[in-house]
Amino acid sequence: MTDQSVIEPSGSKPSKRFSRGNIILYGTLIVVSMYYLLPLYVMIVTSLKGMPEIRLGNVFAPPIEITFEPWVRAWAEACTGINCDGLSRGFWNSVNILIPSVVLSIAIASVNGYALAHWKFKGSETFFTILIIGAFIPYQTMLYPIVILLREIGLMGDLAGLVLVHTVFGMPILTLLFRNYFTSIPEELFKAARVDGAGFWGIYFRIMLPMALPIFVVAIILQVTGIWNDFLFGVIYTKPETYPMTVQLNNIVNSVQGVKEYNVNMAATLLTGLVPLIIYFISGKLFVRGIAAGAVKG
Amino acid sequence: MTTTSQDDARAARRPIRLFRNPMAKIASIPMILTALVVFVGGTAWTVVYSFTDSRLLPRLNFVGLDQYERLWSTRRWLISIENLAIYGICSLILTLLIGFTLAAMLDRKIRGEAVFRSIFLYPFALSFVVTGLAWQWILNPDFGLQEVVRRMGWEGFTFDPLNNPDIVMFGLLIAGLWQGTGLIMCIMLAGLRGIDEDIWKAAKVDGIGTVKTYVRIIIPMMRPVFITALVLIASGIIKLYDLVVAQTNGGPGIASEVPAKYVINYMFRAQNLGQGFAASTMMLVSVIIILVPWAYLEFGGKKRD
Amino acid sequence: MSSVSIRNLDLSFGAVDVLKNLNLEIAEGEFLVLLGSSGCGKSTLLNCIAGLIDVSGGQIHISGRNVTWEEPSDRGIGMVFQSYALYPQMTVEGNLSFGLKNQRMPKDQIAQRVARAAEILQIEPLLKRKPGALSGGQRQRVAIGRALVREADVFLFDEPLSNLDAKLRTDLRVELKALHKQLKNTMIYVTHDQVEAMTLADRIAIMRDGKIQQLDTPSVIYGKPRNKYVADFIGSPSMNFFEGDLSAEAGSCVFEGPDFTLPLTSYEFETPQIGRRKAWLGLRPEHIVTGEAAAAADLSADTIVDIVEPMGSDTLVWVNFGGKPIRVRTDGQSDLEPGDTLRIGLQSARASIFDHQSEDRL
Amino acid sequence: MSSVSIRNLDLSFGAVDVLKNLNLEIAEGEFLVLLGSSGCGKSTLLNCIAGLIDVSGGQIHISGRNVTWEEPSDRGIGMVFQSYALYPQMTVEGNLSFGLKNQRMPKDQIAQRVARAAEILQIEPLLKRKPGALSGGQRQRVAIGRALVREADVFLFDEPLSNLDAKLRTDLRVELKALHKQLKNTMIYVTHDQVEAMTLADRIAIMRDGKIQQLDTPSVIYGKPRNKYVADFIGSPSMNFFEGDLSAEAGSCVFEGPDFTLPLTSYEFETPQIGRRKAWLGLRPEHIVTGEAAAAADLSADTIVDIVEPMGSDTLVWVNFGGKPIRVRTDGQSDLEPGDTLRIGLQSARASIFDHQSEDRL
Amino acid sequence: AELEVTHWWTSGGEAAAVAEFADAFNGQTEHTWVDGAIAGSGGTARPIIISRIIGGDPMGATQLNHGRQAEELIEAGLLTDLTDVAEAQNWREVINPPSLLDACTYEGRIYCAPVNIHSAQWIWLSHGAFDAAGLEVPSDWNEFVAAAPTLMENGIVPLAMGQQGWQQNLAFGTITIAVAGIDAWREVSVNRNAEVAAGPEYTAVFEAVADARELARDSNVQDWNLATNMVITGQAGAQIMGDWAQGEFQIAGQVAGEDYTCLPGLGLNEIIDTGGDAFYFPVVEDAEVQAAQLELAELLVSPEVQVSFNLAKGSLPVRGDIDLSTANDCMQKGLEILAAGNVLPSGDMNLSADTQTQIEDLMAEFWSSDLPAAEAQARYVDIIASAD
Ligand SMILES: Nc1ncnc2c1ncn2[C@@H]1O[C@H](COP(=O)(O)OP(=O)(O)OP(=O)(O)O)[C@@H](O)[C@H]1O
Ligand SMILES: Nc1ncnc2c1ncn2[C@@H]1O[C@H](COP(=O)(O)OP(=O)(O)OP(=O)(O)O)[C@@H](O)[C@H]1O
Ligand SMILES: [Mg+2]
Ligand SMILES: [Mg+2]
């Protein structure tokens, strides 16, 4: 054959960055991102406009004159009924509800998941299956039984009752996640700890917990989102002084006074979503890792 | 030392099974109670009262299947079921499709993966109420999308799903997908990351195109991931309520009613608990119809581990 | 007195019986290796001894105490796992002291024990590191250290070296042997690597399907396998088998193979044989002699070389004999080529003969 | 003409240079084994040849064609992976035919090729099963079959046997060798198992940190390793090394070890040596003779036995010599005990000597 | 004591009215009004209210539409008996029409305090819209229908209609009384006579509603007050809505007779119903709260509070003995009708919530689809026939 060193490459050298595939890929991603960002953009833009500008009609146009008044109003002035102190009233209530609910529900679910993964006993899988089916039951249909239950144990109207309800309804999915995650932790580690004389709680606190960060992140995210955004339980199991932010939001958004103050509504909506949003943005990578460990295997 | 077989008989006694590892059982009590009291108990309670004529308050005055007969002859219920079916099927297919496609794109070792992932995921942080409001606003024909497009010159452009009974469910779908696909994408992404890279290489050596590799090889391998996703989506669909209330409140007319809303309305607004319970029992039954095959697939198939 | 005594142990997972009426006596200070193919129940047996699985029936005694229903930590055992099973969030020191802390041992005593174990295993410089920052061999050392600090009577090893690469495995194997010499604990060691089993064990128990096939010293197991399974399992490259007939007459026995007859002049039968029966003849590749020695063997034949596998220190040659390719081990300097003729010699003294039906050694 | 020719290949992942100006010529029909420790770039090189990674620089020619930028499927290669990488949802037949179907090959031709591959690999009875229902060895055979049906010029194997257990590995190794003999394709085989490398290869390329250390036939690599790294890497149990001085005078060379002096009467130097330099002496365990042969060696000494590791076919004895324990291989029938005295003999002909600094063979 | 009061009055006019209650309560008693507003109309608030009552953790007082809603709560003994307050304050005498109190009465005892009278049968006409189209403001429904095409030509929506079932149902009810007349209405709504519902009077009703549906085609707002806003701003010609709409006009600074016109009974049949809101007081244990409850009940019906509240809300007071000369044009009209006794009992008191929900669903569907009038009527007849 001919001298090989002069043979030209028979394939074409791919140009790395701007290949057609890449353009299509990034193009699609950017277009799709726009769909996802659109509502956020609209909400932000609208919340920074004055009502006259909104009536001009283009939701997508950036504000001509930026005003933070809607935010101020949403936070501190918007009226519901006769109270005109906006969302601010609900914020700390929400925090007060959120923290014990998240802590308790995750604590219980993680122990459940751990027991189901490493300390199986007769019937444990059955209870777990029931729990999973429970994840499909619409909350609203459980409203009455729960009300009656809480009445019977005397927790109706107590913050403890609300925490309990969040714990119960968070349990199925969280338990599933924790169970799958702990199952993925090598059994040998568990065995080693038993040989080392650690008991149920010793292994849980000393061995399992420190390894469970990703799944805790997932659980926290899910619970914070769920509990922070909850309206139904929050309003039924609390009193007006302790109404969570979502009740305030509902009131602001649904009390129409003359015209709908879209800018205030948007600002209120954004303010309400801020807490979970922040948590999402700071925990992105851990979330995927946790999902990988807790949701996919199993 | 002495011989062992007799004097250690005490230690050799087999302990009672129930008391072995007692902590594990004690620690599981909350779960057991939740499962039995709340889920089984609450469900049974609901089913029992669905055979009564309870109105505002639950009472045990049994009327047989009356509530069910009425339920199935109520137009709104039938429409609700139909709507849920339309929404459910579309949402299931589209969520899986979009979620997978996005995940597949993010999995191609792109730059800025974290940014895109956050963008796709953030709507999940927002409640359905917020989702419904935001999209109600964007789809508002007077100053939303339709108006903007019209102003750009397409005078005849009509996209007003929230006021058109024929397509209102798709208006909901747009919002529902916006909110829910991010999580599914995350799950799919995690699943894709779990696929052996050698499979890709093998496919490349076999000369199989990217799309075909996904369709013929990768997706079939991700069955467990799809099942997890399916369960999540399906449980969300059954519960569909907040979004509808926030975005259309069932309207226009009753064109976007859904079963969960029917349940709530009959329990609380119409003060006909029995009817509401009958409807929720029907929902439960359908859940079980969905779940049994799933449970069979998940647990029945692989007894090994 | 035996240190570990297992009596009539039964274990089943649901409908699957994994261990069936298993008996095993392990002397104090003995190094016992459990060898068997994957899934035969080795790990399960070890877990039963450790108390990590509740047995279905039978008893386990350790140091004379019936511990069948005791907690793992109360049995006086230490255990080392294949995957190391180090607690990833604790330092090496934390890993070593975790078990002692659980026993509420005084601080200074813990420190002393940890120091001693670290010295024995030469991991003092690593004490402050976390397992993630250790190499495989170091991790395995720490895992052994964890058993060491417990000053356990019995050490249980579940394939402790199989995650390591070949070189490291050799080194640690030697260390382990030295450790045993120094500590003189009873050690029960699970592996499916026969080199490990042969080099480490005082006695080897070969398991198959939850039953012990043979329990003996390595040389007996290698030289006089009790049945065909053991013979086949032990030895790499493995034994060559020939199907044929054993015909024994007073004073003289022969094995009639497919196209050869081997006089069993110096074979030691377990029981005296009379008559004719179908049987297996087994010959290890290294017991088939070549060159000058072949002429002096009980049977010698010219064969055609099929494949030559040089392995550095020696060469494995496949030759056609008795109607099929058989393995013959020659030295590393062999310059045979496929197609060459090789004279081989079979010696009955080192052969093994098994009944065709029961596959037990005759 | 060489079948695969790699010229000045560079490859980096970001800032990490994995392959550095690598050159390799592989003849048609040759069985080349890439051997090296983990992370040295073996898989990366293989992937470059397959076109699965875009090279940073240099060229790859296969069968005389410059394929540097061609698609993997157009390069005329078949590839077999360690994890098999079978398509789990397809039957064996589907796995074998999927690539061909994709090339729109006529049905009957596909069937013919699949049938042929199945026959060669003896997997006909498995064609309708899915990979999940196959054993490890069967899966690996199917993976090879997938390369086979492509009728590729060059077969690439990336540690195809390392997920299998020892016994199966031996069997498949032999089959692979037979397959190569039958097909006569060029094969490039990645492994870090030296027994595989030694037995399979026509030539072995030893890699380290993205560079080829030595490319030679197995016996040369084993007998005359080009540098200390190769010497240490090849051979199990590995070579014994002694640090010392090489003093060469006209006609007579000696190696002065810690407490011994070995006359290098029959050592073949690569280049003639003059003067004195620090050096390493390497001796393989099987090249240290014992018994009568010891007396006839270039140097003989009495040593104390430290550890005895019987391995069945032979026994590894650790003796103290030159100030440290060294490995000596004796035959399987050895009845040495720790503490015994063993006379060993060192022969210069089979030794290796390396420069102390460059570690290259002298 | 702090008294938690739950209600769903959150629109502008409503909130202003509630503030009157709260101010009076805080000012005139020792107690504090804790406002538990829940926006989103009764549909959102009611489950919350009922859950809390039956859960044993009730609020101090709550708004409920009176009528049959509370019967079961009363039966279960969950609501406070206000009979003593009522007798002390002589509610029997002062409350007018007496049917309001009847609705609060269960087995002779009184359980709620009515606070206002609402009538649904009004149409609100925008002067601005008709001026823009160069038309006279119509004086009844028929004129309005006749004027509609001209409005449409001028780009004005003739009839503003919020796309919610209850608003559509309200329009239906109003048109029924106007078109079919009081007797037919009574036969159907009180006596549940399905034959009449199937008869020609109702056929006319359904046809009229079908006409109205066409007039409201281009109105795609949801909330009632947004529809009202269309009338206020002249975007729409008219809206059929209850008298509470007046609060919105008032807040917008519009003057009855100048900026807008209200026609009771659509100007055809000047009859109004006398529904309304009432407050219930769940049984609580805390004695202080009990006292507060009774004081609030008393206060709610007291003359001054009735005046201030109803002026703000635009509804009619429940007392016949107070001077409302400050009331505007529309309220005066209402008062006159009331004084003349042209009242109907509200549907709340006749048909059960269940039946009403079904009718609402029917109306919701009817208004937003092309369902033929005849078919809607047939389905209406079914609902009436099976009503309990
Ligand atoms: N938890 C379990 N439930 C059911 N079967 C089990 C369980 N654990 C092990 N088995 C079964 O018991 C048998 C013995 O398993 P074991 O782990 O003891 O094997 P092994 O000899 O240790 O194998 P390997 O060499 O692969 O570790 C296997 O067939 C296995 O499938
Ligand atoms: N995608 C990648 N990105 C960055 N570095 C990589 C990548 N793939 C491999 N490397 C690095 O390149 C080096 C060579 O890797 P390679 O997989 O070729 O090693 P190997 O010789 O096959 O090892 P092994 O025997 O463990 O398979 C390693 O140091 C590895 O960390
Ligand atoms: Mg095992
Ligand atoms: Mg590799």
Side-chain angles (χ1 to χ4, degrees), chain A residues 250-278:
Chain A
N250 169 66
N251 286 353
I252 290 174
V253 171
N254 283 335
S255 344
V256 192
Q257 322 219 340
V259 289
K260 261 194 170 160
E261 290 185 291
Y262 287 107
N263 51 359
V264 178
N265 290 355
M266 293 299 155
T269 305
L270 284 172
L271 278 168
T272 314
L274 222 50
V275 168
L277 273 180
I278 287 171

Side-chain angles (χ1 to χ4, degrees), chain D residues 44-103:
Chain D
T44 306
L45 175 56
L46 211 64
N47 282 323
C48 286
I49 297 173
L52 295 167
I53 303 180
D54 289 343
V55 304
S56 315
Q59 296 182 354
I60 297 166
H61 299 247
I62 294 179
S63 306
R65 228 153 32 95
N66 183 338
V67 296
T68 316
W69 297 111
E70 265 187 18
E71 282 298 308
S73 53
D74 301 333
R75 295 186 178 206
I77 51 145
M79 192 158 177
V80 179
F81 300 90
Q82 172 176 357
S83 60
Y84 321 131
L86 299 182
Y87 312 131
Q89 71 284 357
M90 299 182 194
T91 60
V92 168
E93 192 170 6
N95 267 283
L96 294 183
S97 58
F98 194 51
L100 303 182
K101 277 193 198 135
N102 225 47
Q103 295 172 11

Side-chain angles (χ1 to χ4, degrees), chain B residues 276-298:
Chain B
F277 289 152
S280 54
T281 304
M282 290 319 304
M283 289 175 70
L284 275 175
V285 168
S286 55
V287 163
I288 288 167
I289 289 173
I290 294 169
L291 275 192
V292 165
W294 170 71
Y296 181 79
L297 281 178
E298 270 292 274

Side-chain angles (χ1 to χ4, degrees), chain B residues 75-76 79 83 136 160-172 244 247-258 261, chain E residues 161-165 168 216-217 219-222 360-370:
Chain B
R75 238 184 103 71
R76 179 171 157 189
I79 287 178
N83 282 342
Q136 187 188 51
D160 184 13
L162 299 190
N163 290 307
N164 181 345
D166 297 330
I167 57 169
V168 64
M169 288 317 289
F170 299 99
L172 288 172
V244 178
Q247 206 179 345
T248 65
N249 200 20
I254 54 173
S256 62
E257 291 290 346
V258 288
K261 187 159 178 286
Chain E
M161 174 60 66
Q163 304 291 318
Q164 289 172 343
Q168 292 153 338
R217 267 280 175 251
S219 161
N220 52 18
V221 291
Q222 294 281 330
E360 262 178 36
D361 288 346
L362 173 62
M363 282 304 138
E365 194 184 348
F366 180 69
W367 279 85
S368 60
S369 65
D370 292 318

Side-chain angles (χ1 to χ4, degrees), chain C residues 5-81:
Chain C
S5 154
I6 293 157
R7 305 181 189 166
N8 306 321
L9 194 70
D10 282 321
L11 189 119
S12 42
F13 292 114
V16 189
D17 291 334
V18 175
L19 303 178
K20 297 146 197 161
N21 196 20
L22 192 142
N23 284 284
L24 190 60
E25 299 284 323
I26 301 160
E28 200 169 337
E30 184 171 4
F31 199 126
L32 182 99
V33 173
L34 288 171
L35 184 65
S37 58
S38 191
C40 70
K42 304 180 298 290
S43 300
T44 307
L45 175 56
L46 212 64
N47 280 320
C48 286
I49 297 174
L52 294 168
I53 302 180
D54 289 346
V55 304
S56 313
Q59 296 180 355
I60 297 166
H61 299 246
I62 293 179
S63 306
R65 229 155 30 96
N66 183 336
V67 296
T68 316
W69 293 106
E70 267 185 17
E71 281 298 306
S73 52
D74 302 333
R75 297 185 178 207
I77 53 145
M79 193 158 176
V80 179
F81 299 90

Side-chain angles (χ1 to χ4, degrees), chain B residues 66-210:
Chain B
D66 285 6
Q67 299 288 11
Y68 292 91
E69 274 167 25
R70 177 171 151 195
L71 181 69
W72 285 105
S73 60
T74 303
R75 238 184 103 71
R76 179 171 157 189
W77 173 253
L78 299 175
I79 287 178
S80 299
I81 297 273
E82 192 186 318
N83 282 342
L84 190 68
I86 294 171
Y87 179 90
I89 291 169
C90 294
S91 163
L92 205 61
I93 293 172
L94 288 175
T95 310
L96 287 177
L97 198 70
I98 295 171
F100 183 83
T101 311
L102 291 181
M105 290 200 279
L106 290 192
D107 194 41
R108 300 206 68 80
K109 302 201 174 78
I110 58 156
R111 279 159 192 278
E113 183 201 318
V115 174
F116 284 118
R117 198 182 51 218
S118 301
I119 290 175
F120 299 148
L121 187 58
Y122 88 90
F124 188 67
L126 302 173
S127 63
F128 271 126
V129 175
V130 172
T131 306
L133 284 172
W135 281 98
Q136 187 188 51
W137 171 236
I138 292 175
L139 297 178
N140 184 314
D142 293 334
F143 21 53
L145 206 58
Q146 174 178 314
E147 182 63 17
V148 170
V149 176
R150 281 187 186 176
R151 280 191 202 186
M152 291 193 309
W154 288 283
E155 288 296 338
F157 179 82
T158 310
F159 186 65
D160 184 13
L162 299 190
N163 290 307
N164 181 345
D166 297 330
I167 57 169
V168 64
M169 288 317 289
F170 299 99
L172 288 172
L173 197 60
I174 290 175
L177 290 177
W178 177 79
Q179 206 260 2
T181 38
L183 179 69
I184 299 304
M185 177 215 66
C186 259
I187 291 174
M188 297 284 178
L189 188 59
L192 282 173
R193 295 272 148 90
I195 294 222
D196 184 358
E197 216 172 320
D198 284 352
I199 289 279
W200 275 105
K201 293 181 177 172
K204 253 178 143 177
V205 172
D206 268 349
I208 299 156
T210 309

Side-chain angles (χ1 to χ4, degrees), chain D residues 38-39 41-44 82 158-159 190 192:
Chain D
S38 192
K42 307 180 295 293
S43 300
T44 306
Q82 172 176 357
D158 194 354
E159 311 197 13
V190 164
H192 54 231

